[in-house]
């Protein structure tokens, strides 16, 4: 007999280390499409599941091609090589919308765009300083000028329509006078230096960082912008090497637990997702209570309260509630892109 569960944990860890490769090459599901083949980093092919319990798919197969570069992805739909694309980027909306034979569709999403703040770095360990930074960003101008009018200002961490969302929640308006008052109260009237990490593959986030840099100059805050590729960005921010970072979170489960816990619960500090290094017992307890609660109304109130508490603590500058975009050829019918950013092709047809 074993004296503890350590041996079992070790065995489970060993098994889980191999699960990824097994699932990737031999996934098993119950949907209207089934796995046919996969070329890692290139494509995945799904075919109609003839024994699906409900209405079968109209298409015989769907192939997902991996095209990392946005311009190349858009070129695929422009030339007719692709039937459907996503990951368009708001800076390319006019280009796609003006392409003959292509339909551009926007769907309200669960995405929240934000600028993360490392809450353990001085002077950002002071909530008053973080609140000042949140007042120093003109969200309306950022949305119109950088995101091409896509989305709306974020008042809290939960997007509209999600359990716990509160339409009466008061977010941070653009108010440089109030920002200066908060800095004065915190003892930082003369300003300070900050660093921000930005993924160099996103022109929008680079522009947003530059806009924030210019705004903070009015408060005598010097913001140093560091651009880096995605892998380096994740490692650097996961290690807490920067004071701030640009990011977004698209909650694929549409549940408030997944919207908040990975970003702000102390169990996830660092590489696991909480790049704000937020460690707050009161917030943890609220989030744990939300996980335990079965009554939906009570659970919703827990997350409403958590949202208000997060606004007070200001571990991030909440920028906007985003949109999902998809584009498809005019001979493609009934493409459904959900608020979670997932496609439903069950009724999709292609006219020859």
């Amino acid at each position: 007999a074993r004296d503890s569960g350590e041996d079992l944990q070790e065995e489970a860890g060993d098994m889980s280390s191999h699960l990824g490769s097994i699932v990737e090459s031999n996934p098993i599901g119950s949907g209207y499409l089934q796995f046919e083949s996969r070329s890692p980093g290139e494509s995945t092919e799904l075919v109609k599941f003839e024994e699906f319990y409900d209405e079968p798919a109209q298409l015989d197969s769907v192939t997902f091609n991996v095209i990392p570069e946005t311009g190349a992805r858009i070129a695929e739909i422009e030339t007719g090589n692709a039937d459907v694309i996503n990951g368009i980027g708001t800076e390319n909306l006019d280009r796609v919308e003006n392409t003959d034979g292509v339909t551009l569709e926007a769907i309200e999403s669960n995405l929240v765009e934000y600028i993360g703040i490392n809450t353990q770095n001085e002077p950002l360990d002071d909530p008053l300083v973080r609140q000042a930074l949140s007042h120093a960003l003109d969200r309306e101008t950022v949305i119109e000028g950088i995101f091409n009018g896509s989305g709306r200002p974020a008042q809290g961490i939960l997007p509209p329509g999600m359990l716990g969302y509160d339409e009466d929640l008061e977010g941070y308006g653009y108010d440089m006078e109030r920002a200066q008052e908060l800095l004065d109260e915190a003892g930082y009237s003369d300003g300070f230096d900050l660093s921000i990490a930005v993924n160099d593959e996103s022109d929008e986030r680079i522009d947003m960082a530059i806009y924030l840099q210019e705004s903070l100059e009015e408060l005598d805050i010097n913001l140093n912008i560091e651009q880096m590729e995605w892998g380096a960005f994740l490692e650097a921010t996961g290690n807490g090497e920067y004071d701030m970072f640009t990011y977004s979170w698209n909650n694929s489960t549409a549940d408030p637990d997944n919207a908040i816990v990975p970003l702000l619960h102390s169990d996830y500090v660092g590489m696991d997702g909480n790049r704000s290094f937020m460690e707050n017992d009161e917030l943890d307890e609220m989030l744990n209570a939300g996980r335990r609660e079965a009554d939906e109304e009570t659970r919703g109130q827990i997350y409403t309260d958590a949202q208000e508490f997060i606004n007070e603590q200001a571990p991030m500058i909440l920028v906007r509630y985003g949109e999902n975009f998809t584009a498809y050829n005019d001979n493609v019918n009934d493409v459904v892109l959900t608020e979670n950013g997932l496609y439903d092709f069950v009724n999709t047809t292609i006219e020859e």
Side-chain angles (χ1 to χ4, degrees):
R2 294 186 173 94
D3 295 330
S4 70
E6 292 182 0
D7 291 338
L8 289 175
Q9 290 179 357
E10 183 177 344
E11 291 177 15
D14 183 60
M15 290 173 59
S16 64
S17 67
H18 300 288
L19 286 178
S21 59
I22 294 172
V23 171
E24 286 178 359
S25 58
N26 297 285
I28 298 174
S30 59
Y32 53 86
L33 296 171
Q34 64 181 1
F35 178 78
E36 177 69 13
S37 64
R38 178 175 183 266
S39 178
E42 295 184 9
S43 65
T44 298
E45 183 181 5
L46 307 177
V47 297
K48 180 191 293 189
F49 181 35
E50 299 291 351
E51 299 179 26
F52 184 55
Y53 71 94
D54 205 347
E55 290 295 321
Q58 301 298 305
L59 297 173
D60 292 327
S61 66
V62 176
T63 300
F64 294 85
N65 292 314
V66 179
I67 304 175
E69 204 277 312
T70 304
R73 201 157 49 244
I74 294 173
E76 288 291 294
I77 197 79
E78 291 173 331
T79 59
N81 290 330
D83 298 302
V84 182
I85 65 168
N86 69 355
I88 294 165
T90 57
E91 72 273 21
N92 299 304
L93 297 182
D94 291 341
R95 172 182 171 182
V96 176
E97 195 167 27
N98 293 324
T99 300
D100 291 337
V102 172
T103 297
L104 175 69
E105 189 173 346
I107 301 95
E108 282 199 354
S109 75
N110 291 324
L111 181 143
V112 177
E113 193 93 33
Y114 69 93
I115 299 172
I117 299 173
N118 189 327
T119 61
Q120 295 189 7
N121 287 358
E122 294 184 5
L124 302 177
D125 55 346
D126 188 333
L128 295 178
V129 174
R130 302 196 296 266
Q131 291 170 16
L133 297 180
S134 282
H135 277 301
L137 186 77
D138 187 340
R139 291 155 180 79
E140 295 282 0
T141 297
V142 168
I143 290 171
E144 290 301 319
I146 296 175
F147 291 97
N148 208 7
S150 172
R152 49 176 159 161
Q155 304 301 316
I157 196 170
L158 298 180
M162 188 171 291
L163 181 68
Y165 172 76
D166 181 5
E167 62 182 9
D168 296 324
L169 182 69
E170 186 175 349
Y172 286 87
Y174 178 57
D175 189 339
M176 296 299 284
E177 183 177 340
R178 178 58 180 153
Q180 187 62 64
E181 290 175 354
L182 288 165
L183 291 175
D184 293 344
E185 184 178 347
Y188 292 99
S189 301
D190 296 330
F192 43 82
D193 294 336
L194 292 175
S195 62
I196 185 169
V198 184
N199 171 23
D200 63 8
E201 298 170 11
S202 173
D203 292 339
E204 298 155 324
R205 292 180 186 171
I206 293 171
D207 290 343
M208 183 166 61
I210 293 172
Y211 180 86
L212 179 63
Q213 181 187 55
E214 294 172 350
S215 182
L216 292 181
E217 286 178 355
E218 297 182 34
L219 302 171
D220 292 322
I221 297 174
N222 176 47
L223 181 64
N224 180 46
I225 300 172
E226 292 285 343
Q227 300 180 33
M228 60 196 73
E229 62 87 22
W230 184 240
F233 171 88
L234 292 177
E235 182 174 1
T237 55
N239 288 329
E241 296 175 14
Y242 290 86
D243 297 312
M244 305 176 75
F245 58 93
T246 56
Y247 208 68
S248 67
W249 185 251
N250 197 353
N251 176 7
S252 61
T253 67
D255 187 86
D257 175 83
N258 186 249
I260 305 176
V261 168
L263 302 182
L264 295 174
H265 195 289
S266 62
D267 284 350
Y268 293 81
V269 163
M271 287 293 187
D272 289 334
N274 181 354
R275 289 172 162 80
S276 294
F277 290 81
M278 180 81 167
E279 295 185 84
N280 185 286
D281 292 341
E282 186 174 351
L283 178 60
D284 284 353
E285 180 49 42
M286 280 190 278
L287 298 178
N288 293 338
R291 284 185 161 180
R292 293 190 300 264
E293 183 56 56
D295 180 76
E296 185 167 294
E297 183 176 351
T298 303
R299 188 167 183 257
Q301 187 59 52
I302 290 172
Y303 289 113
T304 297
D305 294 342
Q307 205 178 190
E308 183 175 349
F309 181 80
I310 291 166
N311 272 19
E312 293 172 359
Q313 294 297 310
M316 52 183 61
I317 301 173
L318 294 160
V319 181
R320 69 176 186 123
Y321 303 124
E323 295 176 299
N324 288 327
F325 293 96
T326 187
Y328 47 87
N329 290 322
D330 288 348
N331 66 330
V332 179
N333 302 310
D334 295 319
V335 173
V336 176
L337 179 63
T338 70
E339 60 189 10
N340 305 341
L342 305 176
Y343 280 102
D344 184 353
F345 292 118
V346 67
N347 294 316
T348 303
T349 59
I350 299 177
E351 299 176 8
E352 299 296 336

